Amino acid sequence: HPPKPLTLMKTLVSSVTGPEGNDIVLDFFSGSATTAHAVMQLNAEDGGKRRHIMVQLPEPCDEKSEAFKAGYKTIAEIGKERIRRAGKKILQEWQAKHGASPDQLKLNTENPDAGPPDIGFRVLKVADSNFRDIARTPDELEQQELALHTDHLKPDRTPEDLLFQVLVDWGVDLALPIVSETLHGKCVFFVDQNTLAACFDTGLTDELVRTIAGRKPLRVVFRDDGFGDDSTRINVEQIFKLLSPGTEVKAL
């Protein structure tokens, strides 16, 4: 199929959305991500806060195409590069129009209206569960499989993989800002400041748990096997009840 014209997509999006709202534009057949380009361009022109969700299967490119020869093996890869290039161009145009310095091109997260349009995007890929399939009836369970019940997470999964599964399970907005901090030698994720805290490292201590509880997150999640010893695991809920009773505690 030929690419969608940018001007047509801008006209369609502007006809059903406005700069004063927080509309989300969804394109289930993203292709080269013209819709994303249109949304970002409109936001730059009228100061809107529209967001976009692009869905595209990793369909292989024709090996004879220029895109394939340039290193883009799938249509999804073309779309991601289109968004990057379009965003860069939009920021350059915004800078020229407003006479802004490079420092002013950084998005003001505390007051987005005071800065340039947000051209950032996050790529999510559909995958199977992060958990091993360990469901067995007693007569099916064999002795050598018992170890799976103590290490039920798939070994090839990253902390970010686990974090996004938690966000999906808890119904948390996948576009919220995420910051990782090193606390007591462990990596801790904070989603939208205190909406969610998560640590998927092992060997966690009471000291780390108290530090996280001191931030008073709405929710917190750890690995079920992440605690240094049984006493730390038992103490976790008690620590949160004492320091942050409003926090919902969960273990994977």
Side-chain angles (χ1 to χ4, degrees):
H1 300 285
K4 310 179 191 76
L6 178 62
T7 53
L8 172 61
M9 296 311 301
K10 284 178 60 180
T11 300
L12 291 175
V13 173
S14 63
S15 67
V16 295
T17 68
E20 68 284 347
N22 292 301
D23 300 289
I24 299 177
V25 180
L26 172 63
D27 188 343
F28 264 116
F29 301 93
S30 174
S32 63
T34 306
T35 303
H37 189 167
V39 170
M40 293 189 296
Q41 189 71 55
L42 279 173
N43 286 342
E45 293 173 2
D46 62 16
K49 302 302 175 188
R50 306 170 186 84
R51 295 193 292 172
H52 57 80
I53 299 175
M54 303 291 104
V55 182
Q56 178 59 53
L57 293 173
E59 297 178 24
C61 295
D62 186 340
E63 294 186 7
K64 297 180 181 179
S65 67
E66 293 301 319
F68 187 90
K69 294 175 183 177
Y72 304 105
K73 307 302 182 185
T74 70
I75 294 177
E77 291 176 4
I78 295 174
K80 289 184 286 184
E81 184 63 18
R82 165 78 173 276
I83 297 174
R84 294 187 190 100
R85 295 188 184 190
K88 183 178 180 180
K89 184 173 184 291
I90 288 169
L91 279 187
Q92 290 172 342
E93 292 173 348
W94 186 92
Q95 179 185 22
K97 180 178 179 180
H98 294 82
S101 66
D103 287 341
Q104 290 174 299
L105 290 179
K106 297 177 182 178
L107 183 67
N108 187 334
T109 55
E110 295 182 359
N111 183 16
D113 295 330
D118 183 1
I119 51 86
F121 69 103
R122 184 168 284 160
V123 177
L124 302 176
K125 298 180 181 180
V126 177
D128 56 3
S129 172
N130 292 310
F131 300 100
R132 299 176 189 265
D133 180 12
I134 58 175
R136 301 287 190 279
T137 60
D139 61 312
E140 295 174 330
L141 185 63
E142 298 182 7
Q143 182 72 28
Q144 60 267 29
E145 292 183 308
L146 292 176
L148 295 178
H149 292 262
T150 61
D151 186 12
H152 59 291
L153 297 175
K154 293 180 179 177
D156 61 338
R157 301 308 166 94
T158 67
E160 287 81 5
D161 293 333
L162 301 178
L163 175 63
F164 275 90
Q165 177 156 342
V166 170
L167 296 182
V168 171
D169 290 345
W170 250 324
V172 178
D173 188 340
L174 299 181
L176 289 175
I178 300 172
V179 175
S180 62
E181 297 183 26
T182 300
L183 302 176
H184 304 288
K186 306 297 181 182
C187 177
V188 183
F189 296 100
F190 290 94
V191 179
D192 196 26
Q193 297 183 342
N194 287 333
T195 296
L196 171 74
C199 181
F200 303 111
D201 288 350
T202 56
L204 308 187
T205 63
D206 285 356
E207 186 178 24
L208 173 66
V209 174
R210 290 193 183 94
T211 299
I212 297 175
R215 300 284 191 94
K216 300 187 183 303
L218 294 177
R219 307 176 182 90
V220 65
V221 60
F222 303 99
R223 285 180 65 121
D224 191 47
D225 59 350
F227 305 105
D229 50 52
D230 290 341
S231 63
T232 302
R233 180 177 176 179
I234 294 171
N235 288 340
V236 169
E237 290 197 12
Q238 296 304 317
I239 291 173
F240 274 94
K241 284 181 180 179
L242 177 64
L243 299 179
S244 184
T247 299
E248 183 179 356
V249 182
K250 181 178 181 178
L252 293 182

Coordinates of all heavy atoms in Angstrom, one line a residue, residues 44-84:
A44 N 3.1 20.7 17.6 CA 4.1 21.8 17.4 C 3.4 23.1 16.9 O 3.9 24.2 17.3 CB 5.2 21.3 16.5
E45 N 2.4 22.9 16.1 CA 1.8 24.1 15.5 C 0.8 24.8 16.4 O 0.7 26.0 16.4 CB 1.1 23.7 14.2 CG 2.1 23.2 13.1 CD 1.4 22.7 11.9 OE1 0.1 22.7 11.8 OE2 2.1 22.2 10.9
D46 N 0.0 24.0 17.2 CA -1.0 24.6 18.0 C -0.8 24.4 19.5 O -1.7 24.8 20.3 CB -2.4 24.2 17.6 CG -2.6 22.6 17.8 OD1 -1.8 22.0 18.5 OD2 -3.6 22.1 17.2
G47 N 0.3 23.9 19.9 CA 0.6 23.7 21.3 C -0.3 22.6 22.0 O -0.4 22.5 23.2
G48 N -0.8 21.7 21.1 CA -1.7 20.6 21.7 C -0.9 19.5 22.4 O 0.3 19.5 22.4
K49 N -1.6 18.7 23.1 CA -1.1 17.6 23.9 C -1.6 16.3 23.5 O -1.7 15.3 24.3 CB -1.4 17.8 25.4 CG -0.9 19.2 26.0 CD 0.6 19.3 25.8 CE 1.1 20.7 26.3 NZ 2.5 21.0 25.9
R50 N -1.8 16.2 22.2 CA -2.3 14.9 21.7 C -1.2 13.8 21.8 O 0.0 14.1 21.7 CB -2.6 15.0 20.2 CG -3.6 16.1 19.8 CD -3.7 16.3 18.4 NE -4.5 17.4 17.9 CZ -4.1 18.7 17.9 NH1 -2.8 18.9 18.2 NH2 -4.9 19.6 17.5
R51 N -1.6 12.6 22.0 CA -0.7 11.5 22.1 C -1.1 10.5 21.0 O -2.2 10.5 20.5 CB -0.7 10.8 23.4 CG -0.2 11.7 24.6 CD 0.1 10.9 25.8 NE -1.1 10.4 26.4 CZ -1.2 9.5 27.5 NH1 0.0 9.1 28.0 NH2 -2.3 9.1 28.0
H52 N -0.1 9.6 20.6 CA -0.4 8.6 19.6 C 0.0 7.2 20.0 O 1.0 7.0 20.8 CB 0.3 9.0 18.3 CG 1.8 9.1 18.4 ND1 2.6 8.0 18.4 CD2 2.6 10.2 18.5 CE1 3.9 8.5 18.5 NE2 3.9 9.8 18.6
I53 N -0.7 6.2 19.5 CA -0.4 4.8 19.7 C -0.3 4.3 18.3 O -1.3 4.3 17.5 CB -1.4 4.1 20.5 CG1 -1.5 4.7 21.9 CG2 -1.0 2.6 20.6 CD1 -2.6 4.0 22.8
M54 N 0.8 3.8 17.9 CA 1.0 3.2 16.6 C 1.2 1.6 16.7 O 2.0 1.2 17.5 CB 2.3 3.7 15.9 CG 2.3 5.2 15.7 SD 1.1 5.8 14.5 CE -0.2 6.5 15.6
V55 N 0.5 0.9 15.9 CA 0.5 -0.6 16.0 C 1.0 -1.1 14.6 O 0.4 -0.8 13.6 CB -0.8 -1.2 16.3 CG1 -0.7 -2.7 16.4 CG2 -1.4 -0.6 17.7
Q56 N 2.0 -1.9 14.6 CA 2.5 -2.4 13.3 C 3.2 -3.7 13.5 O 4.1 -3.8 14.4 CB 3.5 -1.4 12.7 CG 4.2 -1.9 11.4 CD 3.1 -2.2 10.3 OE1 2.3 -1.3 10.0 NE2 3.2 -3.4 9.8
L57 N 2.8 -4.7 12.8 CA 3.5 -6.0 12.8 C 4.9 -5.9 12.2 O 5.1 -5.0 11.3 CB 2.7 -7.1 12.1 CG 1.4 -7.5 12.7 CD1 0.6 -8.4 11.8 CD2 1.6 -8.2 14.1
P58 N 5.9 -6.6 12.6 CA 7.2 -6.6 12.0 C 7.3 -7.2 10.6 O 8.0 -8.2 10.4 CB 8.1 -7.2 13.0 CG 7.2 -8.2 13.7 CD 5.9 -7.6 13.8
E59 N 6.5 -6.7 9.7 CA 6.4 -7.3 8.4 C 7.8 -7.1 7.6 O 8.3 -6.0 7.6 CB 5.3 -6.7 7.6 CG 3.9 -6.9 8.1 CD 2.8 -6.2 7.3 OE1 3.1 -6.0 6.1 OE2 1.8 -5.9 7.9
P60 N 8.3 -8.2 7.1 CA 9.6 -8.0 6.4 C 9.5 -7.1 5.2 O 8.5 -7.1 4.5 CB 10.0 -9.5 5.9 CG 9.1 -10.3 6.8 CD 7.9 -9.6 7.1
C61 N 10.5 -6.3 5.0 CA 10.6 -5.4 3.8 C 11.1 -6.2 2.6 O 11.8 -7.2 2.8 CB 11.6 -4.3 4.1 SG 11.1 -3.1 5.3
D62 N 10.7 -5.8 1.5 CA 11.2 -6.4 0.2 C 12.7 -6.3 0.2 O 13.3 -5.2 0.3 CB 10.6 -5.7 -1.0 CG 10.9 -6.4 -2.3 OD1 11.9 -7.1 -2.4 OD2 10.2 -6.1 -3.3
E63 N 13.4 -7.4 0.0 CA 14.9 -7.4 0.0 C 15.5 -6.5 -1.1 O 16.6 -6.1 -1.1 CB 15.4 -8.8 -0.1 CG 15.1 -9.6 1.1 CD 15.7 -11.0 1.1 OE1 16.6 -11.2 0.2 OE2 15.4 -11.8 2.0
K64 N 14.6 -6.2 -2.1 CA 15.1 -5.3 -3.2 C 14.8 -3.8 -3.0 O 15.3 -3.0 -3.7 CB 14.4 -5.7 -4.5 CG 14.8 -7.2 -5.0 CD 14.1 -7.5 -6.3 CE 14.4 -8.9 -6.7 NZ 13.7 -9.3 -8.0
S65 N 14.1 -3.5 -1.9 CA 13.8 -2.2 -1.6 C 15.0 -1.4 -1.1 O 15.9 -1.9 -0.5 CB 12.6 -2.1 -0.6 OG 13.1 -2.6 0.7
E66 N 14.9 -0.1 -1.2 CA 15.9 0.8 -0.7 C 16.0 0.8 0.8 O 17.1 0.9 1.4 CB 15.7 2.3 -1.2 CG 15.9 2.4 -2.7 CD 17.3 2.1 -3.2 OE1 18.2 2.4 -2.5 OE2 17.4 1.4 -4.2
A67 N 14.8 0.6 1.5 CA 14.8 0.6 2.9 C 15.6 -0.6 3.4 O 16.3 -0.5 4.4 CB 13.3 0.5 3.4
F68 N 15.3 -1.8 2.8 CA 16.0 -3.0 3.2 C 17.5 -2.9 3.0 O 18.3 -3.2 3.9 CB 15.5 -4.2 2.4 CG 16.1 -5.5 2.9 CD1 15.4 -6.3 3.8 CD2 17.3 -6.1 2.4 CE1 15.9 -7.5 4.3 CE2 17.8 -7.3 2.8 CZ 17.1 -8.0 3.8
K69 N 18.0 -2.3 1.9 CA 19.4 -2.1 1.6 C 20.0 -1.1 2.6 O 21.2 -1.2 2.9 CB 19.6 -1.6 0.2 CG 19.2 -2.6 -0.9 CD 19.3 -2.0 -2.3 CE 18.8 -3.0 -3.4 NZ 18.8 -2.4 -4.7
A70 N 19.2 -0.2 3.1 CA 19.7 0.8 4.1 C 19.7 0.2 5.5 O 20.1 0.9 6.5 CB 18.8 2.0 4.1
G71 N 19.3 -1.1 5.7 CA 19.4 -1.7 7.0 C 18.1 -1.9 7.8 O 18.1 -2.4 8.9
Y72 N 17.0 -1.4 7.1 CA 15.7 -1.6 7.8 C 15.0 -2.8 7.3 O 14.5 -2.9 6.2 CB 14.8 -0.3 7.5 CG 15.5 1.0 7.9 CD1 16.0 1.8 7.0 CD2 15.6 1.3 9.3 CE1 16.7 3.0 7.4 CE2 16.3 2.4 9.7 CZ 16.8 3.3 8.7 OH 17.4 4.4 9.1
K73 N 15.0 -3.9 8.2 CA 14.5 -5.2 7.7 C 13.0 -5.3 7.8 O 12.5 -6.2 7.1 CB 15.2 -6.2 8.6 CG 16.7 -6.2 8.7 CD 17.3 -6.2 7.3 CE 18.9 -6.2 7.5 NZ 19.5 -6.2 6.1
T74 N 12.3 -4.5 8.6 CA 10.9 -4.6 8.7 C 10.2 -3.3 8.6 O 10.8 -2.2 8.8 CB 10.5 -5.3 10.1 OG1 10.7 -4.3 11.1 CG2 11.2 -6.6 10.4
I75 N 8.9 -3.3 8.4 CA 8.1 -2.1 8.3 C 8.1 -1.4 9.6 O 8.2 -0.1 9.7 CB 6.7 -2.4 7.8 CG1 6.7 -2.9 6.4 CG2 5.8 -1.1 7.9 CD1 5.4 -3.3 5.8
A76 N 8.1 -2.1 10.7 CA 8.1 -1.5 12.1 C 9.4 -0.7 12.3 O 9.3 0.4 12.9 CB 8.0 -2.6 13.1
E77 N 10.5 -1.2 11.8 CA 11.8 -0.5 12.0 C 11.8 0.8 11.2 O 12.3 1.9 11.6 CB 12.9 -1.4 11.5 CG 13.2 -2.5 12.4 CD 14.3 -3.4 11.9 OE1 14.9 -3.1 10.9 OE2 14.6 -4.5 12.5
I78 N 11.1 0.8 10.0 CA 11.0 2.0 9.2 C 10.1 3.0 10.0 O 10.5 4.2 10.0 CB 10.3 1.7 7.8 CG1 11.2 0.8 7.0 CG2 10.0 3.0 7.1 CD1 10.6 0.4 5.7
G79 N 9.0 2.6 10.6 CA 8.2 3.5 11.3 C 8.9 4.1 12.5 O 8.8 5.3 12.7
K80 N 9.7 3.4 13.2 CA 10.4 3.9 14.4 C 11.4 5.0 13.9 O 11.5 6.1 14.5 CB 11.2 2.8 15.1 CG 10.2 1.9 15.9 CD 11.0 0.9 16.8 CE 11.5 -0.2 15.9 NZ 12.2 -1.3 16.7
E81 N 12.1 4.7 12.8 CA 13.1 5.7 12.3 C 12.4 6.9 11.8 O 12.9 8.1 12.0 CB 13.9 5.1 11.2 CG 15.0 6.0 10.7 CD 16.1 6.3 11.7 OE1 16.2 5.7 12.7 OE2 16.8 7.3 11.5
R82 N 11.2 6.8 11.2 CA 10.4 7.9 10.7 C 10.0 8.8 11.9 O 10.1 10.1 11.8 CB 9.1 7.4 10.0 CG 8.0 8.4 9.8 CD 8.3 9.3 8.6 NE 7.2 10.2 8.3 CZ 6.2 9.9 7.5 NH1 6.1 8.7 7.0 NH2 5.3 10.8 7.2
I83 N 9.6 8.2 13.0 CA 9.3 9.0 14.2 C 10.5 9.8 14.7 O 10.4 11.0 15.1 CB 8.6 8.2 15.3 CG1 7.3 7.5 14.8 CG2 8.3 9.0 16.5 CD1 6.7 6.5 15.7
R84 N 11.6 9.1 14.7 CA 12.8 9.8 15.2 C 13.2 11.0 14.4 O 13.5 12.1 14.9 CB 14.0 8.8 15.3 CG 13.9 7.6 16.3 CD 15.1 6.8 16.3 NE 14.9 5.6 17.1 CZ 14.7 4.4 16.6 NH1 14.7 4.2 15.3 NH2 14.5 3.3 17.3

